[in-house]
Amino acid sequence: MTRLAVHTRTTPAGPVVELTGELDYDSSSQVRDLLPALALQDGQQLVVDLTGVTFCDSSGITALLAARNHALAARADIALAAVPDRISRVFQMVGLDQVFRTHPSAQAAEAAWTPPAARP
């Protein structure tokens, strides 16, 4: 069984989910199971920080898509932060670079978020 550490924190922009380890068949349910408990409001942004992810298979990708669906259902945005190069290449091959906005860090994702009141 693979190990995945999941840590969440709340920012003014919305929740940040930090993942460390392997995001695969054995561990992806941790991410999917966490989603309903996230306090995500209309206009906020869910950030999934992949800094510590060492491996991501199709089950991991499915968990990230579930996170996206959760954000969209809450009328919120989603962004991925610190996507490792090897995972970024896979995302590009399957077109997920067109689905997820990415930022070099969770802090950069938060800085790029625009509060709903400030949007045109």
Side-chain angles (χ1 to χ4, degrees):
M1 181 163 199
T2 57
R3 298 185 61 89
L4 179 71
V6 180
H7 179 267
T8 60
R9 60 187 172 85
T10 303
T11 71
V16 176
V17 178
E18 300 168 346
L19 305 178
T20 304
E22 296 183 3
L23 182 55
D24 61 10
Y25 178 79
D26 291 329
S27 64
S28 61
S29 62
Q30 287 178 254
V31 175
R32 288 191 315 273
D33 293 346
L34 168 74
L35 296 174
L38 290 178
L40 188 60
Q41 298 174 1
D42 186 352
Q44 283 190 315
Q45 172 180 255
L46 169 61
V47 175
V48 181
D49 187 344
L50 302 177
T51 301
V53 174
T54 57
F55 177 79
C56 181
D57 69 5
S58 60
S59 297
I61 289 172
T62 300
L64 293 174
L65 290 170
R68 178 181 182 269
N69 291 342
H70 177 72
L72 293 177
R75 297 175 45 125
D77 292 327
I78 185 168
L80 302 181
V83 181
D85 287 342
R86 65 193 164 283
I87 296 172
S88 181
R89 284 192 295 276
V90 172
F91 284 7
Q92 289 172 359
M93 289 186 323
V94 298
L96 289 178
D97 60 326
Q98 303 298 311
V99 175
F100 290 105
R101 284 183 298 109
T102 61
H103 298 277
S105 68
Q107 292 79 14
E110 184 178 355
W113 173 73
T114 306
R119 294 180 185 165

